[in-house]
Amino acid sequence: MNAATVTLYTSPGCPDCQAVRAWLIQHEITYTERDITQPGVAEQAKRRYGVRIAPITVLDDTTYYYGTADTQIPELRRALDPGT
C-alpha cells in the first residue's frame, strides 16, 4: 500500500467509521484519528472539506472521501494501492 498521510475524522458509535478504521488497520495503514464531537473539529472539517459528517478520510491533506464505508473503501483501495 502507498505511504500517504491519512487522517480519519470519526464520531463515537459510528459503524461506518469503525468499518473504515478496521480496513485501515487490516491493511496496516497508519492514520491519525480526529473525533468530530470534540470542540472545533467538525467546524474545521466543514471549512476544509465542505462536510462535517463522519467518516471523512483525508489523504495527504489534498484528497478526501466521505460517505459510507462501502463507498469509501473501494476509493481508498484505488488511491492507496494503484496496482489493484
Side-chain angles (χ1 to χ4, degrees):
M1 291 277 174
N2 191 326
T5 301
V6 179
T7 304
L8 179 61
Y9 287 80
T10 63
S11 65
C14 167
D16 286 307
C17 299
Q18 177 56 37
V20 172
R21 181 186 303 115
W23 186 87
L24 292 170
I25 292 167
Q26 176 185 4
H27 291 88
E28 299 179 349
I29 298 169
T30 303
Y31 65 96
T32 301
E33 191 165 338
R34 306 281 322 269
D35 182 344
I36 66 167
T37 65
Q38 296 299 308
V41 175
E43 290 74 19
Q44 178 190 56
K46 175 70 171 172
R47 188 173 52 255
R48 287 185 178 176
Y49 312 111
V51 295
R52 56 186 215 170
I53 58 166
I56 305 168
T57 310
V58 183
L59 308 181
D60 293 329
D61 289 327
T62 58
T63 305
Y64 61 93
Y65 305 96
Y66 62 91
T68 66
D70 288 343
T71 301
Q72 286 193 42
I73 290 172
E75 295 294 331
L76 293 170
R77 185 175 290 118
R78 279 190 285 279
L80 296 171
D81 189 10
T84 61

